[in-house]
Amino acid sequence: MKHTHKLLILMFSFVLFSCGNDKKNNQVDYSSKKAPVKKEVQKEKPKEAPAVKKEAMANVDLSNKGIGPVKSLDISGAIDQKLADEGKELFKNKCSACHRTNRKFIGPNPTGVFDRRSPEWVMNMIINPEEMLKKDPIAKALLIEYNGSPMANQNVSEKEARAIVEYFRTLK
Amino acid sequence: MKNIIKSTLLLVATSLFFIGCGNNGGKEQKKGGALENNVAEKVYVAPGEHDSHYAFISGGYSGNLTVYGLPSGRMFKEIPVFSQFPTSGYGYSEETKPMLNTSHGFIPWGDSHHPDISQTNGEIDGRFIFINENNTPRIAKIDLRTFETTEIIEVPNSAGNHSSSFVTENTEYVVAGTRFSVPVPQRDMPIKEYKGNFQGALSFISVEPEHGHMDIKFQILMPGFNYDLSHPGRGASHGWFFFSTYNTEEASTLLEVNASQNDKDFIAAVNWKKIEEYVNNGGGTMMPAEYAHNVYDEVTHTATSTMKKEVRVVNPSEVPGAVYLLPTPKSPHGCDVDPTGEYIIGNGKLSANLTVHSFTKMLDAIENKKFAGDAYGIPILNFEDVLAGSVEQPGLGPLHTEFDDKGNAYTTFFISSEVVKWKLGTWEVLDRKPTYYSVGHLTIPGGNSRKPQGKYMFAMNKITKDRYLPTGPELEHSAQLYDISGDKMELLLDFPTHGEPHYAAAMEADLIKKRSRKIYKLEENNHPYAAKSDADVKVVRKGNEVHIYMTTIRSHFSPDNIEGIKVGDKVYFHITNLEQDFDVPHGFAVIGQNTSELLIMPGQTKTSVWEPTKVGVWPFYCTDFCSALHQEMQGYIRVSPKDSPIKLSWSLDGE
Ligand SMILES: [Cu+2]
């Protein structure tokens, strides 16, 4: 079971590698010790164009709500600081191994994420990463962009994910 | 048990004859045609589907316990118990080394024998499984939520801990009876003065109801016989425990001859409730002893070993009415009690007939004080007074009996390589089926409880020749699965087992499945060296000890660059797996390490020691394929000369 599971992930990522978008992934940079942080946010991008074939870093799609239990979420109100603080602690414990709020790390930088993704998408990605990585076009593209490193399922509850979303709103 | 093979040339010759017959039986089986397809369907578990039963088969000389599915015969796991296990680092990691501590020091090997599942009200409850080690007497408890060994207690005054580890019907006690009698306390004395001076300790280990913590409540110091197997009473006989004996001759040399002189040995019937009451009222004496009690804490992920200094011993003659001896023909091996608790079966391995004692008749004989004599003050009952009946000439070399839910018994015959089904009460033989070959024990799921689940029975064999593809002179032993739901037993499947499948316990899967643990919660991780997030990552020097608080998640370690280590340092890698997802362990190994790798479960912390002897920059990496980037899951540790001024530093991606 274990091996099948892991093998599937491996095969899955190889399949993704092989169907286009792979020129960057196979590139090896010997010149500097660290790849430059790329600008991820392109606000001028039209919101209603889900560019599935395009690279994820350029892919801004606020209409995609992802796949998972969260169907609609309004985050237009004032920031709930207490909830955000809870989210900050959760982020430290469950996410900081792979995410930094000041740069692209093993996974994407969550600062300004709601300019690129809907809050529903973010929550579903946190709660339901396996299915998202299999079915959601943005998640699939991100898996390729991030070298086939899958988002780990950290057993985050819906309530906890909501707190993390609140924390993300405070990041500027 | 292997000694039996050597017993006499005649027996060997007979067994060869029967193996020949067995072969033919096997070939006939294969002519089944349509029937054969039907048999295949009965053991087929489609991809992704689950087996209906768990079987826990002892690994004998491997020291561990293996987990199989029934009816498929697929092996799912090997649980390390008494032996170091490189697959997971058990007995190598700093947290698990104390599990193998004994009064003789750290012992990396022990042979495991008879597993038994905990019970409530006489029914299997699927919480714990206990198993005994024979060589350095120990009893282990495995938690069936995690399938991890969580407690091991050494048994003092014991040697060859064989008649164990069977549990009473509310898991009040797990017993550990000694196979070999020894001087108690141990001392320097002539071996030929064995008779009358050696003693056999029967240990009753209490099991605390909630967490299952074990403690030796008392030891009964019995005469210097060999105590081979045991079984608790059930139902009406609950409160009693029965132990088969051999070597009532008290011989110390050439036992295959000298321990087979008496026409009858005994089954010792122990009224443990009576002794418990005696002990609770202050009876027995505390005796100096030294034995280790090792407990694994699932919150700190760490085992501790405590050396105990005394044990309570009871001389059976001090407690009148607590122990009786039931004469039983010729070196009984198995000692089995039927689910009602009325019948006590003694499998006299050198006897032609199977002997069945009646619990009711035993009580009656005791009531009427019909004693044939005594042995060291323990009353001996008359054979005829306690005999319920015998199964006449059922086969050669009976070893062990289990029961179904329909009043039938199944006995293995080692020499004639067969399982014989017979009826309790009428003692008539109903069916017999060959095994391939030299069967030891057999198991029926729930067979040791008041409620056996009489669908499957499997026999565990000592000899495998020609059943599978040859793998050189050494073969894995074989087990054979039979359908026993009908009138006749039907052979369904052959499957190889690991080590020596000495005995097994089995049960319906659902009870264990629904309680099975999938991860360790990080919030509950109280390991003193845990790094529960990247904020906790650090490297600390204490003299020549360096403690690295490291985290791991797909697909990196943090930190992954460490400098300032010096030759002669003792480097502790304390690694916390930050994953909180089922079945995502990470491994860890560093070059030149002379302990095994680690395998760290989600949410767990484990520690590996590395003592670098050479200057250099040395890699470490994840040993368990975890994601597409598993190959990249690595780091470097720089080792400088002993007097180097380089300061301790660590980093991940320059941070
Ligand atoms: Cu790994």
Side-chain angles (χ1 to χ4, degrees):
Chain A
M1 187 72 161
K2 177 196 294 181
H3 287 287
T4 319
H5 181 67
K6 286 170 181 171
L7 208 62
L8 275 175
I9 294 175
L10 177 69
M11 287 165 63
F12 177 61
S13 40
F14 282 167
V15 167
L16 286 172
F17 277 125
S18 57
C19 32
N21 280 340
D22 59 348
K23 58 183 190 309
K24 175 201 291 280
N25 295 296
N26 293 337
Q27 193 175 14
V28 180
D29 182 5
Y30 294 101
S31 58
S32 70
K33 80 172 178 65
K34 201 158 73 181
V37 177
K38 289 177 184 93
K39 192 172 176 349
E40 291 181 35
V41 184
Q42 299 193 355
K43 284 184 183 172
E44 69 282 6
K45 190 95 177 135
K47 286 169 188 173
E48 61 284 346
V52 176
K53 293 280 180 188
K54 290 205 169 186
E55 284 185 290
M57 54 180 286
N59 191 353
V60 174
D61 184 358
L62 296 176
S63 66
N64 180 348
K65 297 189 184 307
I67 301 152
V70 184
K71 304 296 177 210
S72 92
L73 176 64
D74 179 9
I75 57 163
S76 60
I79 288 174
D80 177 342
Q81 193 54 48
K82 192 168 162 281
L83 190 63
D85 289 346
E86 278 170 35
K88 185 175 183 177
E89 185 65 16
L90 284 161
F91 179 83
K92 188 189 97 183
N93 293 334
K94 301 207 173 198
C95 318
S96 67
C98 298
H99 297 272
R100 292 288 182 268
T101 55
N102 60 350
R103 66 181 181 108
K104 178 180 174 179
F105 194 48
I106 290 126
N109 178 353
T111 303
V113 65
F114 300 117
D115 297 335
R116 313 189 291 274
R117 315 271 174 259
S118 68
E120 296 88 347
W121 189 95
V122 172
M123 279 187 70
N124 285 326
M125 190 68 204
I126 295 171
I127 299 164
N128 188 32
E130 285 103 337
E131 194 181 8
M132 287 284 283
L133 288 169
K134 268 183 215 146
K135 297 179 183 166
D136 181 84
I138 299 177
K140 282 159 77 168
L142 283 168
L143 180 67
I144 296 168
E145 185 186 344
Y146 286 85
N147 302 328
S149 190
M151 171 103 166
N153 184 344
Q154 287 299 79
N155 256 308
V156 180
S157 70
E158 201 170 322
K159 216 171 138 241
E160 290 171 329
R162 179 64 188 84
I164 292 167
V165 160
E166 202 66 4
Y167 168 58
F168 286 175
R169 291 181 66 202
T170 67
L171 300 172
K172 291 283 176 304
Chain B
M1 191 169 302
K2 293 216 158 154
N3 286 342
I4 303 160
I5 304 176
K6 300 169 194 157
S7 47
T8 67
L9 267 177
L10 177 69
L11 292 186
V12 171
T14 323
S15 80
L16 287 174
F17 167 74
F18 272 93
I19 287 173
C21 289
N23 242 333
N24 292 336
K27 274 164 194 155
E28 273 161 29
Q29 198 91 25
K30 283 179 185 160
K31 288 185 208 150
L35 184 73
E36 196 182 0
N37 288 334
N38 179 265
V39 167
E41 273 172 27
K42 285 182 173 178
V43 299
Y44 182 69
V45 178
E49 285 183 10
H50 290 182
D51 281 277
S52 63
H53 291 74
Y54 281 105
F56 299 90
I57 305 185
S58 82
Y61 43 68
S62 77
N64 51 23
L65 182 67
T66 45
V67 184
Y68 286 77
L70 298 179
S72 72
R74 298 177 294 188
M75 187 178 110
F76 298 139
K77 188 168 202 168
E78 189 161 2
I79 304 170
V81 186
F82 299 113
S83 297
Q84 281 180 308
F85 195 59
T87 305
S88 63
Y90 176 87
Y92 294 96
S93 73
E94 293 306 295
E95 291 80 4
T96 54
K97 276 181 191 170
M99 292 302 284
L100 302 182
N101 193 36
T102 74
S103 64
H104 304 273
F106 177 79
I107 296 193
W109 174 87
D111 51 340
S112 65
H113 277 245
H114 312 111
D116 204 14
I117 304 169
S118 59
Q119 298 183 23
T120 305
N121 297 325
E123 288 182 43
I124 280 181
D125 61 25
R127 300 170 71 215
F128 306 112
I129 189 161
F130 300 89
I131 190 164
N132 58 313
E133 185 205 338
N134 196 57
N135 185 50
T136 304
R138 290 182 266 186
I139 299 280
K141 182 188 83 210
I142 292 144
D143 191 323
L144 289 178
R145 287 173 312 154
T146 57
F147 286 57
E148 297 278 349
T149 304
T150 53
E151 194 169 351
I152 294 181
I153 193 162
E154 191 182 356
V155 186
N157 299 326
S158 188
N161 173 32
H162 196 264
S163 41
S164 39
S165 51
F166 303 104
V167 299
T168 52
E169 63 177 37
N170 291 297
T171 322
E172 294 98 335
Y173 293 99
V174 49
V175 300
T178 193
R179 179 159 84 188
F180 310 127
S181 283
V182 289
V184 177
Q186 273 291 5
R187 57 191 179 275
D188 178 18
M189 65 171 278
I191 298 169
K192 65 176 166 32
E193 291 172 21
Y194 177 135
K195 200 163 187 164
N197 288 315
F198 283 30
Q199 284 178 298
L202 305 179
S203 308
F204 282 71
I205 298 169
S206 60
V207 180
E208 181 266 319
E210 197 184 343
H211 304 97
H213 288 317
M214 299 189 290
D215 190 23
I216 301 178
K217 177 101 171 178
F218 56 85
Q219 293 190 313
I220 309 169
L221 293 185
M222 296 284 285
F225 310 152
N226 291 32
Y227 298 84
D228 200 357
L229 274 168
S230 64
H231 206 287
R234 299 278 168 232
S237 55
H238 175 55
W240 289 76
F241 226 107
F242 303 93
F243 296 83
S244 58
T245 70
Y246 66 98
N247 194 21
T248 49
E249 298 84 353
E250 298 181 70
S252 65
T253 181
L254 197 62
L255 258 62
E256 63 182 327
V257 174
N258 294 331
S260 306
Q261 297 300 305
N262 291 347
D263 182 49
K264 292 193 174 59
D265 294 288
F266 299 116
I267 283 177
V270 175
N271 185 336
W272 59 259
K273 281 211 165 153
K274 199 158 207 148
I275 297 178
E276 181 186 59
E277 192 189 333
Y278 171 73
V279 163
N280 285 345
N281 290 324
T285 44
M286 294 307 286
M287 177 191 215
E290 196 181 26
Y291 57 104
H293 183 207
N294 311 328
V295 179
Y296 183 80
D297 182 328
E298 282 184 348
V299 178
T300 61
H301 302 292
T302 304
T304 47
S305 179
T306 310
M307 207 55 73
K308 298 223 171 176
K309 295 291 177 201
E310 52 180 11
V311 67
R312 185 176 297 274
V313 297
V314 173
N315 179 341
S317 63
E318 290 167 9
V319 198
V323 185
Y324 297 92
L325 299 173
L326 318 181
T328 306
K330 298 300 270 188
S331 305
H333 184 68
C335 174
D336 303 292
V337 178
D338 83 304
T340 69
E342 168 62 13
Y343 298 120
I344 303 135
I345 291 108
N347 296 301
K349 59 188 186 252
L350 306 177
S351 159
N353 300 337
L354 269 184
T355 304
V356 185
H357 297 302
S358 156
F359 179 69
T360 312
K361 286 178 134 187
M362 182 191 93
L363 287 186
D364 192 60
I366 293 169
E367 177 93 356
N368 294 305
K369 297 197 159 44
K370 292 205 261 181
F371 303 135
D374 75 286
Y376 299 97
I378 301 171
I380 301 170
L381 301 170
N382 287 299
F383 178 68
E384 295 75 17
D385 289 344
V386 294
L387 187 72
S390 15
V391 186
E392 302 283 336
Q393 311 242 340
L396 286 178
L399 278 184
H400 171 229
T401 301
E402 291 223 343
F403 310 90
D404 66 14
D405 49 350
K406 303 172 205 77
N408 301 309
Y410 300 75
T411 301
T412 53
F413 289 83
F414 176 79
I415 296 169
S416 53
S417 285
E418 60 186 333
V419 176
V420 173
K421 175 181 177 179
W422 51 276
K423 189 145 195 68
L424 285 156
T426 70
W427 326 120
E428 66 185 307
V429 170
L430 302 176
D431 189 22
R432 58 176 70 238
K433 279 281 180 301
T435 60
Y436 311 94
Y437 311 94
S438 300
V439 59
H441 288 249
L442 56 78
T443 297
I444 290 171
N448 252 3
S449 74
R450 273 204 228 172
K451 277 212 177 149
Q453 299 136 20
K455 174 148 176 61
Y456 297 116
M457 175 270 289
F458 57 99
M460 288 155 278
N461 309 321
K462 308 299 178 192
I463 293 174
T464 310
K465 61 174 84 173
D466 80 22
R467 297 302 290 180
Y468 316 125
L469 286 174
T471 53
E474 166 71 353
L475 302 168
E476 291 290 23
H477 291 210
S478 72
Q480 271 147 345
L481 181 72
Y482 298 79
D483 183 333
I484 55 165
S485 56
D487 288 341
K488 300 286 177 190
M489 296 176 273
E490 185 183 12
L491 177 62
L492 300 179
L493 182 71
D494 254 353
F495 60 98
T497 58
H498 192 57
E500 190 207 346
H502 204 92
Y503 180 50
M507 66 177 291
E508 281 163 348
D510 290 339
L511 211 50
I512 293 178
K513 235 164 103 173
K514 70 178 184 219
R515 298 173 67 247
S516 182
R517 196 158 183 174
K518 299 194 161 57
I519 59 164
Y520 295 96
K521 286 190 180 148
L522 265 178
E523 308 92 81
E524 292 168 8
N525 178 333
N526 277 344
H527 190 292
Y529 290 97
K532 293 202 232 178
S533 79
D534 268 23
D536 300 332
V537 162
K538 61 185 172 186
V539 183
V540 176
R541 177 179 284 283
K542 280 185 200 161
N544 77 329
E545 281 186 6
V546 177
H547 294 270
I548 303 172
Y549 296 63
M550 185 179 269
T551 65
T552 166
I553 195 165
R554 279 161 290 177
S555 308
H556 68 283
F557 294 98
S558 177
D560 65 4
N561 281 197
I562 300 159
E563 305 195 3
I565 308 297
K566 290 160 197 173
V567 169
D569 281 347
K570 197 166 182 179
V571 182
Y572 292 83
F573 291 92
H574 306 286
I575 304 168
T576 305
N577 182 351
L578 296 179
E579 307 270 0
Q580 291 287 274
D581 193 2
F582 187 28
D583 195 27
V584 191
H586 290 287
F588 174 85
V590 58
I591 196 168
Q593 197 176 17
N594 61 8
T595 58
S596 172
E597 56 132 20
L598 295 180
L599 195 68
I600 313 138
M601 298 305 120
Q604 198 178 38
T605 303
K606 279 189 179 174
T607 302
S608 197
V609 166
W610 181 58
E611 297 180 67
T613 55
K614 292 176 183 171
V615 164
V617 178
W618 306 104
F620 56 85
Y621 65 97
C622 173
T623 53
D624 182 22
F625 198 108
C626 54
S627 71
L629 298 171
H630 162 71
Q631 291 298 95
E632 286 80 356
M633 191 160 177
Q634 68 148 89
Y636 285 107
I637 183 161
R638 175 181 173 185
V639 178
S640 305
K642 207 175 179 61
D643 52 359
S644 163
I646 292 172
K647 286 231 164 62
L648 210 54
S649 68
W650 61 96
S651 64
L652 171 67
D653 199 22
E655 288 180 354

